[in-house]
Amino acid sequence: MHDRRSFPSNPRLLTMRLDNQLQSIASAAFRQVCGTELPPEQFSIQKTRKEFAGARTLVCFPLARHSKAAPDATAEAMGKAMVAAEGPVTGYNVVKGFLNLEIAADHWSHWLLHESAGPNYGAAPRGSAPHVMVEYSSPNTNKPLHLGHLRNNFLGHSVSRILEAKGHTVTKVQIVNDRGIHICKSMVAWRRFGNGETPESSGMKGDKLVGKYYVAFDRAFKAEVSERLAAGLPKEEAEQDAPILVEARETLRLWEQGDPDTVGLWKTMNGWVYAGFDATYATMGVEFDKLYFESDTYLIGKDRVLEGLENGVFERTEDGAVWIDLTGDGLDRKLLLRSDGTAVYMTQDIGTALLRFQDYPDLDRQVYTVGNEQEYHFKVLFLVLEKLGFPQAQRCHHLSYGMVELPEGKMKSREGTVVDADDLMEAMFGIARDIALEAGKLEGLGPDEQREVFERVGLSALKYFLLKVDPKKNMMFDPKASIDFYGNTGPFILFNYVRGRSVLRKATAEGIPLPSTAIAAPGADEMELVGLLHDLPDVIGEAAEAYNPSLVANWCYDLTKAYSSYYQEHPILGADDPKTRDLRLVLTERFTRCLYTGMQLLGIALPERM
RNA sequence: GACUCUGUAGCUCAACUGGAUAGAGCACCUCACUACGGAUGAGGAGGUUGAGGGUUCGAAUCCUUCCAGGGUCGCCA
């Protein structure tokens, strides 16, 4: 379903981009007009707004200071000089200090034919940028994945692909929270109430089964507490000494001692969970290169903290706890080891990070896809890593994202309003199926092919909905809107892709080859589409820089809207003359290809039919 | 309380990082087309960008003071 090897090297990227060319020309023109030397970066080039003639605009206000003339006069002189220079500028007009530049039509047709071609347009050569590790998902092993995990996984997975397109080698990982009292709770409940139930015997997914016993523990615990309260025990005692909780703590103690029975059950139940998660990840279309387990890393973290203690990075208080004082960096004191010597969350994360740098010595940085409620934690973590002597720590990044809210209120697991990931995806597939069957779209396809279409369409709706919003913002997940397949949605984009592909197939069937020379020059009607196609490399660059897939998502939508509108107004194969037809055919081909690239960066697979 | 993020059309989101008249979709109203795939396209209406002040040629964007909301401030993870 997903092609991981999509971005081999592309030497053509070395070609100078239009905006850079224009900056150079502007710099030379400015020297000529004013006798002042300004570096090309100082010239601000932007796309010209639709209501004005021209394709690119030079903002001349900042130049007025150096030219000692009014912005309009400066713009006028610059326009004249830039047209006179060798290059793509053929005309200009000045509006209130904005110099609108007209670009030669053959520049665009050349660009269309030769620079935008091929499956790798927009991507940097593989391995041309440093090795990055991206962590995402990182679930607890006692609860099935929910809506929040979907945003997390889609984000992390998409950012990985964007970084790959930017030339980075990317290693995708997750840290599995497989250790601690919460796991023991599920184990205790299963021993008490399970009667040997397994995923096979019950027909339940493993993660759901274990989750069921986690809930069962909680119910039994509450029952015991109210019984004990009724018997007259004080609240604290009723809770802390409830037999089932005592048993869970004892189980944790046995686990840490390596008791074979306890460890055996722990392995078995975790195995069920992993099998369940794997099924969910497969449905989601995400994958990982390597898994890290907290049960493997917390001891490493402990060792390194003790080492740091010897080196004076950390300090020990009288009760034996280990702290770091970050008040000098504007943060607080932070605990690293409890007074009884056991590890805390931070200790584990230090161990995990160091193990990763050890596993991959060429690692330039790590990206952590984790909710924004942990911003402080990661600020501290990166600072601690830096103080432990890891220069990469300065480049590590917390890809922080906001909560997914439901219309009825906040989505929090303890309030019981979680939306299960498997259920939600299955519901999306069902809706996609209903719509397609009602429209009679999939006649002639076998059941397996149909199922694949439903999955791609349904998943595109979900992924696109979650990825089009700026990650740092809290977002509203409206189930009703997400199942609406009109407007700014994944299915709308898919539909136009399929339509474009259909035109290309028809061209092939009619024996019309994809043109490689002599097409009509794009005119005003084509320029919006051409401009958007031209933007792709910049969009990828910005998205990589900001770790922000929403930039790619919105670009995909803009591109699709432009094509959809163009398609409506202009017959492709039925064009009046062959050169115009060829131009439209090339545009259609570039549209489908660039859209494929963009959607692939979002982790969204495109169908050929729908 | 301290720190931090957010606030844009009735709703959900944009705005090339300081640029021109703040743009899309949904919902609402009007219209077009035998339609290369109608899961369509075009248009209308809808805004004091939470409020005030400041910086400058120019502010949704930067500074500042308020207001509202989220998050964090555990020897939880």
Side-chain angles (χ1 to χ4, degrees):
Chain A
M1 191 152 161
H2 294 276
D3 178 9
R4 279 219 234 153
R5 295 160 34 88
S6 301
F7 294 102
S9 66
N10 175 12
R12 195 173 280 141
L13 193 83
L14 297 173
T15 311
M16 205 183 201
R17 304 271 299 153
L18 175 64
D19 289 3
N20 297 335
Q21 276 184 55
L22 293 176
Q23 286 179 318
S24 296
I25 295 168
S27 180
F30 196 68
R31 190 188 322 120
Q32 189 189 326
V33 169
C34 304
T36 312
E37 195 75 40
L38 281 181
E41 315 83 80
Q42 298 246 335
F43 293 84
S44 156
I45 304 285
Q46 53 192 243
K47 273 182 150 181
T48 302
R49 295 181 67 108
K50 264 186 242 166
E51 58 267 38
F52 302 110
R56 287 295 184 279
T57 295
L58 175 65
V59 184
C60 291
F61 295 100
L63 306 180
R65 198 161 8 113
H66 298 96
S67 69
K68 297 184 186 101
D72 276 2
T74 308
E76 191 66 39
M78 285 292 289
K80 209 166 285 175
M82 288 180 76
V83 170
E86 281 296 307
V89 182
T90 54
Y92 72 94
N93 64 82
V94 175
V95 182
K96 291 194 301 182
F98 294 92
L99 172 60
N100 300 323
L101 301 167
E102 285 156 41
I103 305 298
D106 64 357
H107 174 273
W108 294 115
S109 40
H110 179 272
W111 177 84
L112 259 183
L113 277 176
H114 304 294
E115 316 245 347
S116 67
N120 306 314
Y121 164 66
R126 197 169 250 281
S128 62
H131 187 177
V132 180
M133 179 174 282
V134 180
E135 175 194 300
Y136 52 95
S137 201
S138 303
N140 289 336
T141 56
N142 55 345
K143 279 182 236 159
L145 303 171
H146 56 70
L147 178 53
H149 288 113
L150 290 176
R151 190 179 197 189
N152 180 310
N153 276 273
F154 295 158
L155 266 177
H157 185 245
S158 174
V159 164
S160 302
R161 294 217 163 155
I162 290 167
L163 290 172
E164 277 175 355
K166 196 60 193 164
H168 294 276
T169 302
V170 177
T171 302
K172 304 186 288 293
V173 303
Q174 56 172 314
I175 176 82
V176 183
N177 177 10
D178 64 342
R179 184 192 81 93
I181 187 77
H182 50 283
I183 313 298
C184 297
K185 289 179 179 176
S186 298
M187 288 160 62
V188 166
W190 183 83
R191 264 193 317 236
R192 279 205 189 184
F193 317 119
N195 296 319
E197 188 178 36
T198 66
E200 291 74 29
S201 74
S202 64
M204 276 178 92
K205 262 178 96 233
D207 53 328
K208 298 281 160 58
L209 185 68
V210 172
K212 177 177 128 183
Y213 286 103
Y214 187 69
V215 171
F217 176 93
D218 204 49
R219 203 167 37 230
F221 171 70
K222 280 183 178 143
E224 283 186 6
V225 169
S226 47
E227 230 170 76
R228 291 158 63 81
L229 283 173
L233 287 168
K235 185 165 189 277
E236 181 141 341
E237 194 180 324
E239 287 176 353
Q240 288 308 306
D241 299 337
I244 195 165
L245 186 59
V246 170
E247 192 181 335
R249 275 201 295 265
E250 174 62 11
T251 303
L252 179 60
R253 200 184 61 78
L254 286 170
W255 180 86
E256 289 193 349
Q257 283 180 357
D259 171 64
D261 286 351
T262 307
V263 171
L265 179 60
W266 173 77
K267 279 190 177 156
T268 302
M269 290 185 70
N270 271 343
W272 295 344
V273 173
Y274 301 149
F277 283 170
D278 282 348
T280 305
Y281 291 137
T283 309
M284 288 167 59
V286 304
E287 69 284 314
F288 302 90
D289 301 311
K290 188 172 170 65
L291 303 191
Y292 285 88
F293 298 91
E294 282 184 359
S295 56
D296 291 335
T297 65
Y298 78 104
L299 292 175
I300 297 172
K302 214 164 131 176
D303 288 349
R304 296 309 290 254
V305 167
L306 293 175
E307 224 174 281
L309 187 62
E310 279 172 33
N311 300 335
V313 182
F314 309 130
E315 59 196 25
R316 176 163 258 159
T317 50
E318 285 171 12
D319 60 3
V322 178
W323 295 79
I324 184 165
D325 184 359
L326 297 171
T327 48
D329 297 280
L331 302 173
D332 283 328
R333 277 159 50 87
K334 189 81 189 173
L335 181 82
L336 296 171
L337 278 183
R338 295 192 187 98
S339 47
D340 64 4
T342 56
V344 293
Y345 183 39
M346 186 61 72
T347 327
Q348 295 174 3
D349 265 6
I350 292 168
T352 308
L354 300 190
L355 181 60
R356 287 169 177 173
F357 283 130
Q358 195 180 311
D359 286 348
Y360 301 95
D362 66 332
L363 208 55
D364 179 69
R365 59 183 187 262
Q366 299 190 36
V367 176
Y368 292 82
T369 313
V370 182
N372 62 9
E373 69 273 13
Q374 295 194 32
E375 266 166 23
Y376 185 74
H377 172 78
F378 282 100
K379 211 180 256 180
V380 172
L381 174 65
F382 298 155
L383 203 48
V384 169
L385 289 175
E386 197 182 324
K387 287 182 189 294
L388 284 173
F390 283 82
Q392 303 97 320
Q394 292 173 16
R395 287 188 297 281
C396 284
H397 185 258
H398 173 204
L399 171 49
S400 168
Y401 62 91
M403 199 178 299
V404 184
E405 292 168 8
L406 292 171
E408 310 89 64
K410 302 291 134 48
M411 223 225 21
K412 285 189 172 168
S413 51
R414 62 171 175 271
E415 288 166 12
T417 51
V418 287
V419 176
D420 179 80
D422 292 316
D423 294 348
L424 180 57
M425 288 191 288
E426 204 51 51
M428 297 303 290
F429 301 159
I431 292 154
R433 185 189 60 229
D434 292 347
I435 292 174
L437 293 182
E438 191 181 336
K441 289 288 179 184
L442 297 176
E443 286 149 19
L445 289 187
D448 289 350
E449 290 168 305
Q450 287 197 0
R451 172 77 189 177
E452 184 173 310
V453 171
F454 304 148
E455 290 195 359
R456 287 190 180 196
V457 173
L459 205 52
S460 80
L462 187 57
K463 283 192 184 181
Y464 186 81
F465 196 93
L466 292 174
L467 286 175
K468 72 175 175 180
V469 181
D470 188 333
K472 75 176 176 220
K473 291 191 175 180
N474 287 359
M475 68 173 292
M476 182 70 68
F477 178 78
D478 182 349
K480 280 188 196 134
S482 81
I483 67 181
D484 192 349
F485 285 17
Y486 302 88
N488 187 357
T489 65
F492 170 76
I493 293 170
L494 261 54
F495 167 69
N496 280 282
Y497 175 80
V498 166
R499 203 199 225 171
R501 292 287 302 156
S502 175
V503 172
L504 293 172
R505 271 198 306 273
K506 191 169 177 192
T508 307
E510 290 179 8
I512 305 168
L514 189 65
S516 54
T517 55
I519 52 173
D525 289 355
E526 283 81 23
M527 276 320 293
E528 185 171 5
L529 195 46
V530 172
L532 282 160
L533 293 169
H534 188 268
D535 285 342
L536 177 60
D538 298 329
V539 170
I540 294 175
E542 282 162 24
E545 187 85 15
Y547 303 101
N548 185 354
S550 78
L551 299 174
V552 176
N554 286 308
W555 175 85
C556 286
Y557 175 61
D558 288 340
L559 181 72
T560 301
K561 201 150 44 86
Y563 181 77
S564 183
S565 171
Y566 184 79
Y567 175 94
Q568 190 76 13
E569 304 285 321
H570 306 275
I572 312 287
L573 299 176
D576 294 337
D577 65 287
K579 280 195 164 185
T580 302
R581 181 200 65 198
D582 285 355
L583 168 65
R584 292 175 183 175
L585 208 49
V586 169
L587 280 173
T588 300
E589 199 272 345
R590 300 299 187 264
F591 160 72
T592 56
R593 238 186 230 293
C594 288
L595 190 61
Y596 183 91
T597 299
M599 294 295 270
Q600 192 270 350
L601 295 177
L602 300 177
I604 298 176
L606 297 164
E608 284 296 304
R609 287 190 60 178
M610 62 185 276

